Amino acid sequence: MAASSSSIQIPRRLPLLLVSENILLPGSSMRIPVRQLRNMNMVRSRLLSHNSLRSTIIGVVPLEPGDVEDEERTELHSIGTAAVVVQVTGTNWPKPTYTLLVTGLCRIKVDGLLQESPYLVAKVTQLDKLENDQEDESKNDSELVRLADHFREQASALVDMLDVSIPTVAKLKKMLDSVPVHHLPDICASLVKASFSEKIQVLDAVDISDRFKRTLPLLMRQIEGLKLIQKARKHRISVVPKQQKNGQILLGRGDLNEDEDEETDDITEFERRIKAASMPPEAHKAAMKELKRLKKMPPVMPENAMIRNYLELMVELPWSRTTTDRLDITQARKDLDVDHYGLEKLKKRVIEYLAVRQIKNSLKGPILCFVGPPGVGKTSIGRSIASTLGREFHRISLGGICDQSDIRGHRRTYIGSMPGRIIQGLKQVAVRNPVFLLDEVDKMSHSLHGDPAAALLEVLDPEQNFTFTDHYLNVPFDLSQILFIATANSLATIPAPLLDRMEIIQIPGYTHDEKLNIAVQHLIPKQFVEHGLTERHLDLPEDSVKLIISSYTREAGVRMLERRIGAICRAVAVKVAEHSQQNSKKSGESESKKIILDENEKEHRRLEESIDLLHVLPPEMPILIDRAAVEDVLGPPMFESETRERLSQPGVAIGLAWTAMGGEIMYVEATQMPGEGKLILTGQLGDVMKESASLALNWLRSHASEIGIDVRHGLLDNNDVHIHFPAGAISKDGPSAGVTITTVLASLFTGRCVRSDTAMTGEVTLRGLVLPVGGIKEKVLAAHRAGLVRVILPRRNEKDLHDVPENIKKDLSFVFVSSVEDVLFEAFEGGFPRLGNKTPAIPAKL
């Protein structure tokens, strides 16, 4: 510092940086946040726009005590510090903020302001002499030498009382031996605890002898404070054995330093909580190791807070705390039936788990995965299962997660590290056997930060999760008692290893009857409560609910149905509110009439009571929601049966498709035009569907004469064929459209219409065989929702109808086929007689 300060010349004109919370003394460094507009302008115009050494010298001037730093002119202190700006840090987003690291050079006197806008510039006079001149002066002054030696001895004594093992203290001790005499009081005054006014007095002491005399009392006061702390520690150790009660140590306060006392109390509390947590040996050993480190570490160290956070987590985790399961199977079945309608397969699995738990107490928690379209109750059934078992419930949303640290946690070497969501969830529920719902497990993705699906492999593996190790915790934790329930809309995006670890339970969409029961038992009472209505206000009969289900919703779940019912409730709430306002006005008029009719008071009261009873509900209450009311509130029907109109011309057939939203019907259309025999496919089709279309066309070419297609004039060679799948914005793929495409092309080439009451699905081969496909239950429900009555299915899918409700089977007629010939015979009225003359099959000789 001596070399640098002696070589720097302080300009007569200096930009000023105003400070109000601290004092910068020569020889010391300080970080100053820039908040005032004038200071901000000085940083931009002076520091960031120039790169010379002269531009980095500024004047740091404190405001007078009591002034507030604002945009108006404030009273500046007459003496400040010339300083060099060592570093400028900050950002321009979302708003400019800067912090300056400045080092004081010497004292200056503000002679007058030369500029006030955009920042302050003042004419200054340097008060401190150059270092070399001050060194020569201090050596010639015997009184100053005596003061300096005494001050240096006291400063060394203060440093010796501190913990020399701390690197900062050791560096400070070396610096005191080499610091110049004229900087010694300033540096010590900036280190010790002193008030703003006391530091102002040190800044005003231009004479070095006066500076020593003003700083020495601050130094002695700090030494006395440290002596009291050390004395309190010794006193604490001596009185602890004498003050005990009921086995608990009572700490003598006396003159104890408050911070030291709190630190010791925290460590004692940590020891008690670690013992009470009943940790496994490995976890207990890790906790005690960190506690020993905490005892030796000063509170000012940044790692002190990290160790405290770690120990807080360790003692709060439920290492041994559990809840007792309610194993009454009869009551559990009743509770599940009350909360949810249908879902028999899922309820059966829960009852099976309870039955096994009655027989064997040490059963590991199952890992279930509910797969189905949105709105069928996957998440809510998880909460009901937890309530039925009497366990705590915690939901973890995995949708959009792309970092494996969300599952496994961050290592404690990182700033801001934290445990993963599994450990955080256990901390929240405070028991080790809760029900964890891993929601949207099919919507995770991977990135540069790892694959969360791979991290879940250990969590959801019963053979591994009893020793799950979170990166933050770094000790094993037993997850085997947790009942994991995952939910997904589709299995296609779940990795195969993760899928293999879960027990898949399919939850298909609801039928119309199931939706009706759910609406009557659950949705309508729920919407009544949410809108403050009762049965006295609204009458929603089953016929109206059926109309809403069939004409205003077409979904696998019941979310849209609940919204439609909510819209009706809101319309009724408006009528009720308007009627209440009318009643309040009438009651006000009746009160005024009551004052006038005082002479016949008793008769008036009887009349008023009868009027009040009539005004409880208007004459039209409860409001009956019939078909006209439904259309008035919800508008015209959104979904109507259009199969007869759509299939009234050749080249159209109805296919059945499976989506993550449930089953859907799909109108496949085809047309032909003069061309070169090309096949055009539109509708965002995948490679498999394109291959199915080519296969269907080639099969028809090979059987053209049998079907009745006239090929003499080059019908198939001189015409282009265009096949379109509606909903072009949605990508489609899969082999199940093979029979539909074949039927559409046969209808197009023969000019015959496909039966309007029939839907179909199935994969075809080049030899004309029909192979089985998946999603049969969802597809059948979609056909039922669309009002169709016949469904053509592959014969090998007949076994899949076991999951279809009986009432749906009664409403539909199923036709099972083994070949394309069977499909065409059933899809057209009268079929194709020539296709019945098949070449007899030659038996295999193997």
Side-chain angles (χ1 to χ4, degrees), residues 353-366:
Y353 172 74
L354 290 178
V356 178
R357 278 284 286 112
Q358 282 187 354
I359 302 172
K360 185 179 180 181
N361 291 328
S362 60
L363 179 66
K364 294 181 179 179

Side-chain angles (χ1 to χ4, degrees), residues 758-778:
T758 303
M760 61 197 72
T761 184
E763 178 183 0
V764 298
T765 68
L766 193 59
R767 290 297 182 182
L769 298 179
V770 178
L771 302 182
V773 292
I776 294 299
K777 181 177 180 181
E778 290 81 2

Side-chain angles (χ1 to χ4, degrees), residues 627-639:
R627 184 182 186 89
V630 171
E631 293 186 2
D632 183 52
V633 176
L634 301 180
M638 299 177 62
F639 304 100

Side-chain angles (χ1 to χ4, degrees), residues 724-776:
H724 176 65
F725 287 76
I730 303 173
S731 59
K732 310 168 189 69
D733 203 2
S736 62
V739 297
T740 310
I741 298 174
T742 306
T743 305
V744 166
L745 293 177
S747 172
L748 177 68
F749 294 144
T750 60
R752 299 174 60 182
C753 295
V754 181
R755 291 185 57 166
S756 60
D757 59 349
T758 303
M760 61 197 72
T761 184
E763 178 183 0
V764 298
T765 68
L766 193 59
R767 290 297 182 182
L769 298 179
V770 178
L771 302 182
V773 292
I776 294 299

Side-chain angles (χ1 to χ4, degrees), residues 338-410:
V338 168
D339 292 341
H340 290 82
Y341 183 85
L343 306 178
E344 298 301 331
K345 186 183 297 185
L346 190 149
K347 295 176 181 178
K348 177 183 175 184
R349 182 63 183 89
V350 176
I351 298 301
E352 290 172 353
Y353 172 74
L354 290 178
V356 178
R357 278 284 286 112
Q358 282 187 354
I359 302 172
K360 185 179 180 181
N361 291 328
S362 60
L363 179 66
K364 294 181 179 179
I367 299 171
L368 309 177
C369 181
F370 300 158
V371 182
V376 296
K378 299 185 298 296
T379 302
S380 59
I381 193 65
R383 195 181 302 274
S384 296
I385 290 173
S387 176
T388 301
L389 296 176
R391 293 192 180 190
E392 297 292 333
F393 177 80
H394 183 72
R395 174 180 170 271
I396 300 176
S397 179
L398 300 180
I401 286 182
C402 59
D403 188 351
Q404 60 96 20
S405 297
D406 283 324
I407 306 298
R408 281 190 166 275
H410 303 265

Side-chain angles (χ1 to χ4, degrees), residues 155-215:
S156 299
L158 174 63
V159 175
D160 290 339
M161 298 177 70
L162 302 175
D163 188 358
V164 190
S165 62
I166 302 176
T168 307
V169 177
K171 186 177 180 181
L172 177 63
K173 187 173 183 179
K174 293 180 181 179
M175 185 185 69
L176 288 177
D177 298 334
S178 59
V179 70
V181 173
H182 64 281
H183 277 330
L184 188 61
D186 290 329
I187 293 176
C188 291
S190 63
L191 292 176
V192 300
K193 193 172 183 179
S195 64
F196 185 84
S197 59
E198 290 172 338
K199 289 189 177 182
I200 281 281
Q201 294 177 6
V202 176
L203 179 65
D204 292 342
V206 180
D207 182 66
I208 191 169
S209 299
D210 187 25
R211 203 179 307 159
F212 273 114
K213 292 177 182 178
R214 294 190 180 186
T215 311

Side-chain angles (χ1 to χ4, degrees), residues 390-495:
R391 293 192 180 190
E392 297 292 333
F393 177 80
H394 183 72
R395 174 180 170 271
I396 300 176
S397 179
L398 300 180
I401 286 182
C402 59
D403 188 351
Q404 60 96 20
S405 297
D406 283 324
I407 306 298
R408 281 190 166 275
H410 303 265
R411 299 191 184 275
R412 285 189 291 134
T413 53
Y414 300 116
I415 298 298
S417 58
M418 58 193 303
R421 297 196 178 190
I422 303 296
I423 297 298
Q424 289 184 31
L426 286 167
K427 177 184 174 183
Q428 292 181 20
V429 298
V431 291
R432 60 181 295 218
N433 63 336
V435 173
F436 266 22
L437 182 73
L438 306 179
D439 213 2
E440 309 293 355
V441 74
D442 59 327
K443 296 177 179 59
M444 294 184 294
S445 60
H446 61 273
S447 65
L448 296 175
H449 302 289
D451 187 358
L456 275 177
L457 293 178
E458 182 184 2
V459 176
L460 300 181
D461 192 340
E463 302 301 325
Q464 299 180 28
N465 62 8
F466 63 91
T467 57
F468 171 72
T469 302
D470 186 273
H471 287 162
Y472 183 88
L473 205 62
N474 208 27
V475 292
F477 194 96
D478 185 6
L479 305 181
S480 62
Q481 299 303 314
I482 300 176
L483 173 56
F484 286 104
I485 298 176
T487 67
N489 297 128
S490 173
L491 298 178
T493 55
I494 303 177

